[in-house]
Amino acid sequence: MQIGNDLIEAYKGFYEDELNIFGAAKAKETGLSAETHIDLKVQLMIKSHTPKERLDTYLQWNGILGWTNRIWELSQGEL
């Protein structure tokens, strides 16, 4: 699955504090950079989330608050 850069950016921004803590801890354990661990974690998060969760994260990061459910309903063919 090819993940769009804009979705990756949204996840990194939305989960920034959590990812920085995770990346720093993993960097100490493995010697690899924190950014490498963050990149891998973001990819795993995106793949493990449902499409609706991905949409919610993307919309919130882009300042579109409170519309996830309605946009999701429309995307699923609900009127």
mmCIF file of all heavy atoms in Angstrom, residues 8 11-12 16 21-22 25 28 32-33 49 52 57 60 66 71-74 76:
data_model
loop_
_atom_site.group_PDB
_atom_site.id
_atom_site.type_symbol
_atom_site.label_atom_id
_atom_site.label_comp_id
_atom_site.label_asym_id
_atom_site.label_seq_id
_atom_site.Cartn_x
_atom_site.Cartn_y
_atom_site.Cartn_z
ATOM 1 N N ILE A 8 0.815 10.926 5.889
ATOM 2 C CA ILE A 8 1.943 10.734 6.802
ATOM 3 C C ILE A 8 2.186 12.016 7.603
ATOM 4 O O ILE A 8 2.364 11.977 8.821
ATOM 5 C CB ILE A 8 3.215 10.308 6.040
ATOM 6 C CG1 ILE A 8 3.027 8.891 5.486
ATOM 7 C CG2 ILE A 8 4.457 10.398 6.920
ATOM 8 C CD1 ILE A 8 4.110 8.459 4.515
ATOM 9 N N TYR A 11 -0.489 12.430 10.317
ATOM 10 C CA TYR A 11 -0.262 11.553 11.472
ATOM 11 C C TYR A 11 0.899 12.049 12.317
ATOM 12 O O TYR A 11 0.818 12.059 13.545
ATOM 13 C CB TYR A 11 -0.017 10.112 11.011
ATOM 14 C CG TYR A 11 -1.275 9.288 10.969
ATOM 15 C CD1 TYR A 11 -2.205 9.443 9.960
ATOM 16 C CD2 TYR A 11 -1.546 8.349 11.950
ATOM 17 C CE1 TYR A 11 -3.367 8.699 9.912
ATOM 18 C CE2 TYR A 11 -2.705 7.591 11.931
ATOM 19 C CZ TYR A 11 -3.609 7.770 10.902
ATOM 20 O OH TYR A 11 -4.758 7.034 10.879
ATOM 21 N N LYS A 12 1.983 12.450 11.668
ATOM 22 C CA LYS A 12 3.134 12.943 12.421
ATOM 23 C C LYS A 12 2.764 14.186 13.219
ATOM 24 O O LYS A 12 3.205 14.356 14.354
ATOM 25 C CB LYS A 12 4.305 13.251 11.489
ATOM 26 C CG LYS A 12 5.050 12.031 11.026
ATOM 27 C CD LYS A 12 6.244 12.420 10.174
ATOM 28 C CE LYS A 12 7.076 11.231 9.798
ATOM 29 N NZ LYS A 12 8.259 11.612 8.994
ATOM 30 N N GLU A 16 2.235 14.035 17.322
ATOM 31 C CA GLU A 16 3.615 14.502 17.488
ATOM 32 C C GLU A 16 4.206 14.204 18.865
ATOM 33 O O GLU A 16 5.308 13.647 18.958
ATOM 34 C CB GLU A 16 3.689 15.996 17.213
ATOM 35 C CG GLU A 16 5.092 16.541 17.302
ATOM 36 C CD GLU A 16 5.153 18.020 16.931
ATOM 37 O OE1 GLU A 16 4.108 18.693 16.928
ATOM 38 O OE2 GLU A 16 6.262 18.482 16.656
ATOM 39 N N ILE A 21 8.174 10.958 21.985
ATOM 40 C CA ILE A 21 8.532 10.153 23.153
ATOM 41 C C ILE A 21 8.909 8.743 22.720
ATOM 42 O O ILE A 21 9.938 8.202 23.137
ATOM 43 C CB ILE A 21 7.377 10.136 24.175
ATOM 44 C CG1 ILE A 21 7.191 11.527 24.780
ATOM 45 C CG2 ILE A 21 7.614 9.097 25.267
ATOM 46 C CD1 ILE A 21 5.903 11.707 25.565
ATOM 47 N N PHE A 22 8.078 8.157 21.860
ATOM 48 C CA PHE A 22 8.339 6.806 21.346
ATOM 49 C C PHE A 22 9.679 6.753 20.608
ATOM 50 O O PHE A 22 10.500 5.874 20.843
ATOM 51 C CB PHE A 22 7.201 6.375 20.414
ATOM 52 C CG PHE A 22 7.483 5.119 19.661
ATOM 53 C CD1 PHE A 22 7.286 3.884 20.255
ATOM 54 C CD2 PHE A 22 7.938 5.154 18.351
ATOM 55 C CE1 PHE A 22 7.550 2.714 19.567
ATOM 56 C CE2 PHE A 22 8.207 3.998 17.649
ATOM 57 C CZ PHE A 22 8.015 2.774 18.263
ATOM 58 N N ALA A 25 12.755 7.007 22.917
ATOM 59 C CA ALA A 25 12.956 5.780 23.689
ATOM 60 C C ALA A 25 13.539 4.675 22.823
ATOM 61 O O ALA A 25 14.475 3.973 23.229
ATOM 62 C CB ALA A 25 11.634 5.329 24.308
ATOM 63 N N LYS A 28 17.263 5.201 21.910
ATOM 64 C CA LYS A 28 18.178 4.808 22.980
ATOM 65 C C LYS A 28 18.379 3.301 23.004
ATOM 66 O O LYS A 28 19.479 2.814 23.257
ATOM 67 C CB LYS A 28 17.648 5.271 24.334
ATOM 68 C CG LYS A 28 17.775 6.749 24.562
ATOM 69 C CD LYS A 28 17.239 7.137 25.921
ATOM 70 C CE LYS A 28 17.274 8.636 26.120
ATOM 71 N NZ LYS A 28 16.698 9.035 27.404
ATOM 72 N N LEU A 32 19.383 3.370 16.364
ATOM 73 C CA LEU A 32 18.873 3.985 15.143
ATOM 74 C C LEU A 32 18.277 5.347 15.505
ATOM 75 O O LEU A 32 17.941 5.597 16.652
ATOM 76 C CB LEU A 32 17.800 3.116 14.499
ATOM 77 C CG LEU A 32 18.248 1.746 13.987
ATOM 78 C CD1 LEU A 32 17.049 0.945 13.510
ATOM 79 C CD2 LEU A 32 19.255 1.905 12.854
ATOM 80 N N SER A 33 18.126 6.195 14.521
ATOM 81 C CA SER A 33 17.614 7.537 14.798
ATOM 82 C C SER A 33 16.153 7.498 15.239
ATOM 83 O O SER A 33 15.396 6.597 14.877
ATOM 84 C CB SER A 33 17.744 8.423 13.564
ATOM 85 O OG SER A 33 16.793 8.045 12.586
ATOM 86 N N HIS A 49 -5.065 1.454 11.444
ATOM 87 C CA HIS A 49 -6.293 2.213 11.644
ATOM 88 C C HIS A 49 -7.307 1.898 10.548
ATOM 89 O O HIS A 49 -6.946 1.569 9.424
ATOM 90 C CB HIS A 49 -6.011 3.711 11.647
ATOM 91 C CG HIS A 49 -5.408 4.189 12.922
ATOM 92 N ND1 HIS A 49 -5.048 5.493 13.121
ATOM 93 C CD2 HIS A 49 -5.108 3.563 14.078
ATOM 94 C CE1 HIS A 49 -4.544 5.643 14.341
ATOM 95 N NE2 HIS A 49 -4.568 4.469 14.931
ATOM 96 N N LYS A 52 -12.000 5.050 8.430
ATOM 97 C CA LYS A 52 -12.665 6.157 9.108
ATOM 98 C C LYS A 52 -11.715 6.839 10.097
ATOM 99 O O LYS A 52 -11.720 8.061 10.230
ATOM 100 C CB LYS A 52 -13.923 5.677 9.828
ATOM 101 C CG LYS A 52 -14.756 6.807 10.390
ATOM 102 C CD LYS A 52 -16.064 6.318 10.960
ATOM 103 C CE LYS A 52 -16.900 7.457 11.487
ATOM 104 N NZ LYS A 52 -18.155 6.995 12.082
ATOM 105 N N THR A 57 -8.242 11.514 11.516
ATOM 106 C CA THR A 57 -6.927 12.105 11.793
ATOM 107 C C THR A 57 -6.583 13.147 10.737
ATOM 108 O O THR A 57 -6.139 14.250 11.060
ATOM 109 C CB THR A 57 -5.841 11.016 11.838
ATOM 110 O OG1 THR A 57 -6.164 10.084 12.867
ATOM 111 C CG2 THR A 57 -4.465 11.600 12.092
ATOM 112 N N GLN A 60 -8.882 16.311 11.141
ATOM 113 C CA GLN A 60 -8.533 17.102 12.324
ATOM 114 C C GLN A 60 -7.218 17.842 12.129
ATOM 115 O O GLN A 60 -7.092 19.010 12.513
ATOM 116 C CB GLN A 60 -8.475 16.209 13.562
ATOM 117 C CG GLN A 60 -9.847 15.768 14.032
ATOM 118 C CD GLN A 60 -9.772 15.097 15.376
ATOM 119 O OE1 GLN A 60 -9.245 15.659 16.319
ATOM 120 N NE2 GLN A 60 -10.318 13.887 15.462
ATOM 121 N N GLY A 66 -15.223 18.125 13.581
ATOM 122 C CA GLY A 66 -16.625 17.796 13.763
ATOM 123 C C GLY A 66 -17.349 17.296 12.523
ATOM 124 O O GLY A 66 -18.569 17.137 12.554
ATOM 125 N N ILE A 71 -18.932 13.278 6.637
ATOM 126 C CA ILE A 71 -18.129 13.025 5.433
ATOM 127 C C ILE A 71 -18.032 11.527 5.200
ATOM 128 O O ILE A 71 -18.138 11.052 4.065
ATOM 129 C CB ILE A 71 -16.742 13.693 5.547
ATOM 130 C CG1 ILE A 71 -16.892 15.211 5.517
ATOM 131 C CG2 ILE A 71 -15.815 13.220 4.442
ATOM 132 C CD1 ILE A 71 -15.639 15.980 5.834
ATOM 133 N N TRP A 72 -17.844 10.763 6.268
ATOM 134 C CA TRP A 72 -17.771 9.307 6.142
ATOM 135 C C TRP A 72 -19.092 8.750 5.602
ATOM 136 O O TRP A 72 -19.094 7.905 4.703
ATOM 137 C CB TRP A 72 -17.427 8.655 7.469
ATOM 138 C CG TRP A 72 -17.321 7.173 7.338
ATOM 139 C CD1 TRP A 72 -18.210 6.242 7.774
ATOM 140 C CD2 TRP A 72 -16.291 6.432 6.688
ATOM 141 N NE1 TRP A 72 -17.788 4.979 7.439
ATOM 142 C CE2 TRP A 72 -16.608 5.074 6.770
ATOM 143 C CE3 TRP A 72 -15.114 6.803 6.031
ATOM 144 C CZ2 TRP A 72 -15.817 4.077 6.220
ATOM 145 C CZ3 TRP A 72 -14.327 5.804 5.494
ATOM 146 C CH2 TRP A 72 -14.675 4.461 5.595
ATOM 147 N N GLU A 73 -20.216 9.213 6.149
ATOM 148 C CA GLU A 73 -21.528 8.746 5.672
ATOM 149 C C GLU A 73 -21.701 9.038 4.187
ATOM 150 O O GLU A 73 -22.157 8.185 3.426
ATOM 151 C CB GLU A 73 -22.645 9.430 6.458
ATOM 152 C CG GLU A 73 -22.761 8.968 7.887
ATOM 153 C CD GLU A 73 -23.655 9.850 8.743
ATOM 154 O OE1 GLU A 73 -24.141 10.917 8.236
ATOM 155 O OE2 GLU A 73 -23.875 9.496 9.909
ATOM 156 N N LEU A 74 -21.338 10.243 3.770
ATOM 157 C CA LEU A 74 -21.463 10.598 2.357
ATOM 158 C C LEU A 74 -20.571 9.722 1.484
ATOM 159 O O LEU A 74 -20.960 9.312 0.390
ATOM 160 C CB LEU A 74 -21.124 12.076 2.153
ATOM 161 C CG LEU A 74 -22.134 13.072 2.720
ATOM 162 C CD1 LEU A 74 -21.558 14.478 2.695
ATOM 163 C CD2 LEU A 74 -23.450 13.004 1.968
ATOM 164 N N GLN A 76 -19.799 6.769 1.976
ATOM 165 C CA GLN A 76 -20.339 5.398 1.957
ATOM 166 C C GLN A 76 -21.696 5.315 1.252
ATOM 167 O O GLN A 76 -22.354 4.291 1.294
ATOM 168 C CB GLN A 76 -20.449 4.863 3.388
ATOM 169 C CG GLN A 76 -19.128 4.803 4.121
ATOM 170 C CD GLN A 76 -18.093 3.978 3.373
ATOM 171 O OE1 GLN A 76 -18.308 2.796 3.111
ATOM 172 N NE2 GLN A 76 -16.972 4.600 3.014
#
